[in-house]
Amino acid sequence: MDPVFNNKLLFPYFYRTVPDGSAQYEAIVLLLEHFGWSWVGMVTADDETSQQASMDLYKVITQSGVCIAYRESVGSVAIFKRSMAYMKVLYKIKKTDCNVIIFIGNKYGLLSLDSILSDDLSPRKVVITLSHVFPGQTTTFTTLDGSLKITLQKGRIPGLKEYLLTAGPLKYPDVDLMFEIWEGYLPCSFRQYFHDRPCDEKDVLGNVDRSWYDVDNFRFTFSMYSAVYIVAYALHHLMFSYKRQEHLQLYTIRRSNVAWKVRSSDIQTI
């Protein structure tokens, strides 16, 4: 969602699989208007992407008539908390009569904001976060209780949830990419480690605590799924529209029994 990719001169062939930031900014304005919040603060992570998004959001909000009480930047909490900049942001938030904060940034910037709000003894603030922060990364922040988050549209991918819940090391022993996931979630050994019991057929992701492994909120996954279908339909149209042009090298994807499964054997050169 990096706004730099909006530049068609630099990236003329770039196509997004998720909405750009402007859709979120309009949603933020509608949210502020709905609750009658006309006086808000902005806190931004100090990376380039977040700073650019902050400037774009600032323009949209001020054009809507909402006033910005302050705009502050935060860094990684390990270093930032020991700096004078940390005290400056804390002082600004404490002394400004503003109970709504819009946060733009990643998880590391959100850690700093959480620390600041934990040190702030004034009434709890409502924090609105954009979709740069994944949903699972906000659950441990007690200062965000009752706050709001803009997220990408989610959707159901037929069969994917059921497939994941039956996945395990014995069912797919040759999928090296999944080993790191299984090592983090399954209480067994599939690489002959002496300190763990061997994995068996019951060791699948469906038996893992759902709070650890979420299979119900496919947001970025759904965006990728939709993008693959867009490309597949485009190639299909291209194949039938220019079938006799020899200078084009075209590909077709055979229809699989399960629509979202893509294997290298499914791709053929025409």
Side-chain angles (χ1 to χ4, degrees), residues 144-180:
L144 300 183
D145 288 348
S147 294
L148 304 170
K149 176 172 174 51
I150 304 295
T151 61
L152 294 173
Q153 176 189 8
K154 70 175 181 178
R156 183 176 181 274
I157 303 176
L160 179 57
K161 175 179 178 179
E162 293 74 17
Y163 172 81
L164 292 175
L165 293 179
T166 61
L170 293 190
K171 187 174 183 179
Y172 304 102
D174 299 324
V175 185
D176 293 339
L177 184 64
M178 297 293 290
F179 282 169
E180 293 184 7

Side-chain angles (χ1 to χ4, degrees), residues 40-260:
V40 301
M42 293 180 64
V43 176
T44 310
D46 61 0
D47 61 280
E48 182 177 353
T49 297
S50 301
Q51 291 291 318
Q52 181 61 53
S54 176
M55 288 189 290
D56 295 339
L57 177 58
Y58 176 83
K59 294 177 183 177
V60 174
I61 290 179
T62 53
Q63 288 173 358
S64 72
V66 175
C67 296
I68 305 297
Y70 54 81
R71 293 174 62 191
E72 299 293 339
S73 295
V74 295
S76 177
V77 66
I79 300 175
F80 180 68
K81 192 169 184 178
R82 300 192 297 269
S83 67
M84 289 298 297
Y86 180 92
M87 300 305 299
K88 175 178 174 289
V89 177
L90 174 60
Y91 178 82
K92 180 75 69 171
I93 291 177
K94 289 178 66 174
K95 295 300 181 181
T96 303
D97 185 19
C98 171
N99 293 323
V100 179
I101 299 173
I102 300 174
F103 173 78
I104 307 99
N106 49 32
K107 176 183 177 181
Y108 304 103
L110 195 59
L111 282 168
S112 295
L113 178 59
D114 177 66
S115 177
I116 291 171
L117 295 179
S118 297
D119 291 339
D120 181 13
L121 301 180
S122 58
R124 176 159 298 187
K125 307 292 192 296
V126 175
V127 179
I128 304 173
T129 64
L130 275 65
S131 62
H132 298 78
V133 182
F134 290 173
Q137 294 176 337
T138 62
T139 56
T140 59
F141 298 147
T142 57
T143 61
L144 300 183
D145 288 348
S147 294
L148 304 170
K149 176 172 174 51
I150 304 295
T151 61
L152 294 173
Q153 176 189 8
K154 70 175 181 178
R156 183 176 181 274
I157 303 176
L160 179 57
K161 175 179 178 179
E162 293 74 17
Y163 172 81
L164 292 175
L165 293 179
T166 61
L170 293 190
K171 187 174 183 179
Y172 304 102
D174 299 324
V175 185
D176 293 339
L177 184 64
M178 297 293 290
F179 282 169
E180 293 184 7
I181 296 177
W182 290 323
E183 284 180 336
Y185 293 119
L186 297 176
C188 64
S189 170
F190 47 88
R191 290 179 172 172
Q192 306 301 319
Y193 293 154
F194 65 89
H195 56 277
D196 288 326
R197 65 171 178 80
C199 292
D200 57 33
E201 64 277 359
K202 295 181 180 180
D203 290 306
V204 294
L205 293 177
N207 293 327
V208 172
D209 187 342
R210 288 295 180 84
S211 64
W212 295 1
Y213 189 73
D214 183 10
V215 293
D216 295 308
N217 293 287
F218 296 120
R219 298 184 184 277
F220 285 95
T221 309
F222 181 71
S223 295
M224 182 58 67
Y225 169 79
S226 302
V228 169
Y229 262 88
I230 291 171
V231 173
Y233 277 115
L235 291 175
H236 179 82
H237 178 74
L238 181 65
M239 180 184 69
F240 283 95
S241 298
Y242 302 96
K243 192 172 183 180
R244 293 185 176 87
Q245 296 190 23
E246 297 179 356
H247 66 280
L248 292 175
Q249 186 179 17
L250 304 177
Y251 298 87
T252 182
I253 301 177
R254 289 205 308 258
R255 184 175 179 83
S256 173
N257 291 331
V258 181
W260 48 265

Side-chain angles (χ1 to χ4, degrees), residues 7-26:
N7 190 329
K8 292 301 180 182
L9 294 177
L10 296 177
F11 305 98
Y13 305 111
F14 178 80
Y15 181 82
R16 292 184 181 275
T17 60
V18 295
D20 64 15
S22 60
Q24 298 185 81
Y25 308 153
E26 294 171 5

